Amino acid sequence: MKKLNIFALLSTLFLLLPAFVSCDKDDPTAADAILGTYSGTLGYSVMGFDPGTIEGTYDLKILKDADDEDDVVVVIPECTFAPPIPNARPFTIPSLTVDDVDVTASGNVYTFKEDSFSLTIDGKIYEGSNLIGTVNGKKVTLRYQLKPATMPMDILFSFDGNVKE
């Protein structure tokens, strides 16, 4: 009878053992999958006029958000371009850091988006909206609208690039 009780106790312990195993919190999130620096081209359009890409190669950074492991920080590169207006002077948009950007996954395609953001840099306000991007393998696309305080209309920007190795 004593052996039967010990066997019953050990059987119960083996059955309950999986309940005491903790989950590994180091499992990568969708946000972790897209972290990195992406090198590519930057294009823009204003009021339907699409002059194409801005000369040069640009680096877009996707960083881990310290406040939420499911979000990322998107660092949009600085760029200088001439608005599509006769005799327009070149215009510089500083690097913009957008926090709390949501990330979702569908298979191996990751989508990140932020509905709107407002940043003040050197006393100038930059109102952004419709920031949306995808990472598919090593390729990234990003689209966003930006209205610098000194411009009366939105500028539509597009970034297309690949992971920088």
Side-chain angles (χ1 to χ4, degrees):
M1 187 69 168
K2 193 173 185 181
K3 287 183 180 181
L4 187 60
N5 284 341
I6 291 174
F7 178 73
L9 179 64
L10 287 174
S11 297
T12 303
L13 285 174
F14 282 120
L15 288 172
L16 293 176
L17 189 61
F20 295 106
V21 176
S22 67
C23 295
D24 187 6
K25 194 56 182 162
D26 293 334
D27 289 340
T29 64
D32 291 332
I34 64 172
L35 300 178
T37 301
Y38 298 84
S39 184
T41 59
L42 192 59
Y44 76 103
S45 66
V46 179
M47 296 177 53
F49 181 75
D50 186 358
T53 59
I54 302 170
E55 190 173 319
T57 301
Y58 297 87
D59 286 346
L60 172 77
K61 295 180 183 176
I62 301 177
L63 310 172
K64 191 157 190 75
D65 190 309
D67 297 331
D68 187 340
E69 69 181 26
D70 294 324
D71 289 351
V72 294
V73 174
V74 177
V75 181
I76 299 169
E78 176 180 311
C79 64
T80 301
F81 62 94
I85 303 168
N87 302 321
R89 293 183 308 178
F91 190 80
T92 298
I93 302 225
S95 177
L96 304 173
T97 301
V98 183
D99 297 323
D100 302 321
V101 179
D102 296 328
V103 179
T104 57
S106 178
N108 290 329
V109 177
Y110 301 90
T111 302
F112 54 100
K113 70 175 191 161
E114 179 63 36
D115 294 331
S116 64
F117 58 92
S118 180
L119 303 169
T120 302
I121 300 171
D122 296 332
K124 295 179 182 174
I125 299 171
Y126 297 87
E127 297 288 338
S129 61
N130 301 321
L131 182 144
I132 188 161
T134 58
V135 175
N136 188 350
K138 295 185 177 197
K139 294 182 183 261
V140 65
T141 60
L142 173 69
R143 308 290 180 258
Y144 59 99
Q145 289 177 229
L146 187 65
K147 183 176 183 251
T150 58
M151 290 189 78
M153 74 288 286
D154 287 349
I155 305 168
L156 304 174
F157 284 97
S158 62
F159 178 89
D160 293 292
N162 295 300
V163 70
K164 191 173 184 177
E165 301 197 39

